Amino acid sequence: VREACNVLVERLKEVAAGMLGCRPPEVSFIGGEARSSSGSVSFGDVARTAWIQRVSLSATGFYRTPGIAYDRDKGEGTPFFYYAYGAAVVEVEVCGLTGEHRVRRVDILHDVGDSLNPAIDRGQVEGAFVQGMGWLTNEDVRFDEKGRLITRGPSTYKIPAIGDVPKDFRVALLTDAAQEGSIHGSKAVGEPPLVLAIGVVMALRDAVAGFGTEKTVPKLAIPCTPEALLFAVEAARSVNS
C-alpha cells in the first residue's frame, strides 16, 4: 500500500512540476497546495490537470503473506500465517408446541489479536455470529423436482432480522493477544466468528433433549427451523410414552 501511495505522489509531482516550471523533486504538497521555489498551485488544480492530461491517479498494492509454505504430499508446512480462536456460550428457549425458539443470551470471547478498533471488531463478531445463526436455523434452501432453486429471495428465503438477534448479547475481545508479524498485531475478524453459531445448534439439541429422558439424544436437522425442532421434540417425547 505504501508503494502504491508513493507511485501516486510521484505522478502528481510530475504534473505539478510541469505547472510550476520546476523539477518534480522540488515539489512539496503542503496545506492543500503543491509548492516549490517558483510558486504554488492548489492540489485541486493539480488533480484537474492530471485528469486533462490523462495521467492515472489510481494505483494498487498487493500484500504477500510471509512464511506460507505447505507440502500437500507430505502434509507438512505452514498453510496459514495465524489462527483465530473464539468461544461462545449460548442460552436458548424452545416452544414444545410450535417448535419456535429464541436465543436468549450469548457470551462470546474472540481472538482478534491486538484490535485496531475494538468497536468495529465487536460489530464484526456480532454480525458474523448472527449470520451463522441464520445459516443454521433459518435459511432453508429448497429446490424443485427439476433441481431449480426456488428460495431465491427474502420472500421465500428467511434471513435473520433484528428480532432474531439475542436479547442479551455480550462480546469480549481477548486481551494481550498481539499477533507477531501482522499489521499492528491485529488479526482478521470478518468471518471466523460465524462458526461460533454452532453453539446455537448445540443449545437447541440440549433443549430438545429436555423433552425426553436423560438418555435422549435428539436427531435435529439443520437448519433448525421450527418444523425441524417440532419433529425433534415429538421424537423426544415419544421416548417417554
Side-chain angles (χ1 to χ4, degrees):
V1 174
R2 184 180 296 111
E3 291 179 1
C5 290
N6 290 336
V7 169
L8 290 179
V9 170
E10 291 305 314
R11 290 176 186 171
L12 286 168
K13 282 187 175 183
E14 290 178 5
V15 174
M19 299 171 67
L20 295 170
C22 65
R23 296 186 305 110
E26 298 175 14
V27 177
S28 298
F29 293 103
I30 303 173
E33 293 182 331
R35 301 179 183 178
S36 74
S37 58
S38 57
S40 65
V41 291
S42 71
F43 185 83
D45 287 340
V46 175
R48 187 179 301 106
T49 301
W51 179 75
I52 293 173
Q53 295 180 357
R54 290 175 293 178
V55 175
S56 174
L57 295 184
S58 65
T60 59
F62 183 81
Y63 173 75
R64 181 178 179 181
T65 305
I68 299 299
Y70 187 73
D71 188 323
R72 289 180 177 273
D73 296 331
K74 295 181 179 180
E76 298 176 350
T78 305
F80 305 103
F81 187 50
Y82 60 74
Y83 294 88
Y85 301 92
V89 179
V90 182
E91 178 184 342
V92 301
E93 182 178 61
V94 174
C95 176
L97 298 177
T98 65
E100 294 177 283
H101 81 277
R102 290 184 179 179
V103 180
R104 297 174 57 89
R105 175 172 170 175
V106 173
D107 290 77
I108 293 176
L109 176 63
H110 197 74
D111 171 24
V112 300
D114 191 357
S115 176
L116 298 178
N117 187 319
I120 291 178
D121 285 344
R122 280 194 294 269
Q124 288 289 95
V125 172
E126 292 170 355
F129 181 86
V130 172
Q131 181 183 0
M133 189 173 66
W135 167 52
L136 294 168
T137 62
N138 292 345
E139 303 174 19
D140 192 7
V141 179
R142 296 293 182 95
F143 299 86
D144 65 14
E145 64 280 0
K146 295 183 178 180
R148 294 174 299 193
L149 179 67
I150 58 177
T151 48
R152 291 179 175 273
S155 63
T156 56
Y157 182 74
K158 190 177 188 304
I159 60 176
I162 187 65
D164 297 308
V165 176
K167 185 176 181 180
D168 191 350
F169 201 173
R170 310 185 188 193
V171 175
L173 305 179
L174 188 66
T175 58
D176 300 322
Q179 173 62 41
E180 183 178 355
S182 66
I183 299 175
H184 297 296
S186 65
K187 289 184 178 182
V189 68
E191 295 178 351
L194 181 146
V195 298
L196 297 179
I198 293 174
V200 176
V201 177
M202 299 296 101
L204 289 172
R205 288 188 63 189
D206 287 344
V208 169
F211 291 94
T213 66
E214 293 183 358
K215 297 182 179 181
T216 299
V217 180
K219 293 182 179 180
L220 180 57
I222 296 175
C224 306
T225 60
E227 181 181 39
L229 281 166
L230 188 57
F231 284 152
V233 168
E234 291 300 323
R237 283 174 169 158
S238 67
V239 176
N240 286 334
S241 61

